[in-house]
Structure formats: C-alpha cells, structure tokens
Amino acid sequence: MGKVVPPGRIAPPDPIADDGDEYTFCSTCAFGAVCLSGGVDKIGLHDLHCLVEHVDTYRNGDAIFRSGDRFNAIYAVRKGTVKTRQVDLDGRELILGFHLPGELVGLNAIDPETYPCDAIALGRVEVCRFAFPALVTLAARIPSVQQELFRRLSRDIGNAALLAGDYSADERLAAFLINLGRRYAERGFPRHTLTLAMSRGDIANYLRLAAETVSRVLRRFQDRGLIAVDGRQVTLADPAALSEVARAILQR
C-alpha cells in the first residue's frame, strides 16, 4: 500500500527504478536504452559476460566506495541519491556532486585506477555494479555504450565547470534547482516537484556558499513566488523566471 498523502499535498516523487526482471532492464538503467538500440537485450548481456550486479541496500551515511579504494567497478544509482565528496587532512568535506537514479558514480576513477573520492548514500540507496572489464567488453560490442560513457564524462566535467565562474548566490542556486529538475524529468519524475535528499548544508558546500546564504536565497526565491518550500520538498512555481535568474550559467 502506498503512502497516504494529506489533502492539498502533492505526493513527492519516489526515485526508484522499475525493477525489471531477468528479461527486461530496469526503467532507469544507465545503459538499457543504448543496449537495446545496439541490438543486445538483457539476456544477451550474459553471453557477453557482462553481468550487472544489484548490490545490497545502503543506508544513510554508508560508503559505496572510499577514496583510495582500488577501482574495479562503476556504479549506477537505482534508488535514492548518492553524494561524492573529498575530505582533506583536517577533516573538511568538499562535495563534488549528487547522483540520481540512472546516473553513474565512479567514472572519475578510470585514469588513476583508484577512487579519488568517497561515494556516500543519502538516505536509503540501491545501486547496480558494473565490473569495469565487463563494461569495456560491452563497449567494444556496442559502440553506443562507449559513446554514452563519453557523454556522461563530458556532462560531469561541464557540471564541475559551472562552479568555477564568478556567479552570485542567486545564480548558483537557481541553476542548481533548474538542473536538478531537468535531471529528474529525464528519468520520468516530475520536473517541477523536487524532493531534496541532500541537506541545506550539503547544497551550500556543493555550490561553494555558506549554509546561511542558501537558506536566505531560498526564502528570497519563495517570497518572489519562484519556488515553494515545504521541508525537503521544493516546487518550482515559476521555472521560467528561475531560469532567467540562472541564465548566465545555463547558457554556458
């Protein structure tokens, strides 16, 4: 039985893939579409020795991998949100990104052959594990898989570059919300109703802002009618106006 939603409230999106089965891919499978377009179904993956493992559930704060661990697999988020971070010698955390269902974690480990960051579960998280040698085999069999890997690497580099500009707090937070909405929409979830798994402090860290600044800008956006905030649920009430605030970043 699903959750009962109080009158007047919008049910938040439940970011989980349809589980699929031994014949069909999960609905948010990171490579399902490109495999099918390349003429290989889920059964065909076994013939290529490319078994995808559904890994055990991770709970809030659990590490999927740690910085310095030997790189041997890429992970695709099935349910929940994963943050990647680096922690310096003084214990200070630097958040690198947030990963939603259907997105890959661990691509930045291909060159150093060790994971250069931690991947931490935010709430309850489920992932699929792609052994990297198997993924290389799959990419050789289906060039579109290799293209998809390159596309995702390029997107990660582009997202990191957005933080390098001399942008205001309003521009950074508006771009973050619009980008998050787009990523949810790509996976079939509501574009304008976001349930934030990350804390205000995590968002501030990622955007290189103070936590108080993020809270202040959210209140300002709400006062202007751009968003509506209810706990961790943020509704983009005027996405066009919010996009205009972030125009300098979004047009890069």
Side-chain angles (χ1 to χ4, degrees), residues 12-187:
D14 182 17
I16 185 171
D18 294 333
D19 284 339
D21 53 35
E22 61 180 311
Y23 304 105
T24 59
F25 293 103
C26 300
S27 63
T28 58
C29 178
F31 296 106
V34 291
C35 286
L36 289 174
S37 65
V40 176
D41 58 18
K42 196 168 184 179
I43 296 175
L45 292 184
H46 292 274
D47 296 333
L48 292 169
H49 307 291
C50 293
L51 180 64
V52 180
E53 301 175 56
H54 285 183
V55 183
D56 289 342
T57 298
Y58 295 89
R59 301 191 181 281
N60 187 53
D62 287 349
I64 298 165
F65 55 76
R66 293 281 188 186
S67 178
D69 289 349
R70 181 169 178 79
F71 169 66
N72 51 23
I74 290 171
Y75 295 85
V77 182
R78 292 185 62 240
K79 176 178 181 175
T81 303
V82 174
K83 75 174 178 181
T84 49
R85 70 177 187 186
Q86 292 176 332
V87 180
D88 68 16
L89 294 177
D90 294 323
R92 291 173 296 196
E93 182 181 55
L94 179 69
I95 295 178
L96 305 177
F98 303 105
H99 305 265
L100 307 178
E103 296 182 345
L104 299 177
V105 187
L107 287 174
N108 57 349
I110 293 175
D111 177 47
E113 297 185 350
T114 60
Y115 295 104
C117 60
D118 303 333
I120 305 296
L122 297 179
R124 185 172 181 269
V125 168
E126 296 177 11
V127 299
C128 289
R129 181 181 183 276
F130 293 81
F132 190 64
L135 194 56
V136 170
T137 301
L138 184 62
R141 170 66 174 78
I142 310 173
S144 55
V145 169
Q146 187 179 68
Q147 294 168 7
E148 181 68 11
L149 282 170
F150 289 155
R151 186 181 71 83
R152 289 170 184 262
L153 276 168
S154 177
R155 176 179 291 184
D156 286 351
I157 293 169
N159 287 338
L162 294 182
L163 301 176
D166 185 19
Y167 300 115
S168 70
D170 287 38
E171 290 172 314
R172 287 170 182 257
L173 189 54
F176 173 76
L177 293 173
I178 290 295
N179 178 260
L180 200 63
R182 288 175 177 174
R183 289 159 64 193
Y184 268 111
E186 288 174 359
R187 284 143 190 89

Side-chain angles (χ1 to χ4, degrees), residues 163 165-177 203-204 207-218 220-221 224 242 245-246 249:
L163 301 176
D166 185 19
Y167 300 115
S168 70
D170 287 38
E171 290 172 314
R172 287 170 182 257
L173 189 54
F176 173 76
L177 293 173
I203 294 172
L207 296 177
R208 313 302 183 247
L209 300 170
E212 296 80 5
T213 300
V214 167
S215 295
R216 186 169 61 250
V217 173
L218 285 173
R220 183 159 59 243
F221 284 172
R224 292 172 57 186
L242 199 63
V245 173
I249 296 178

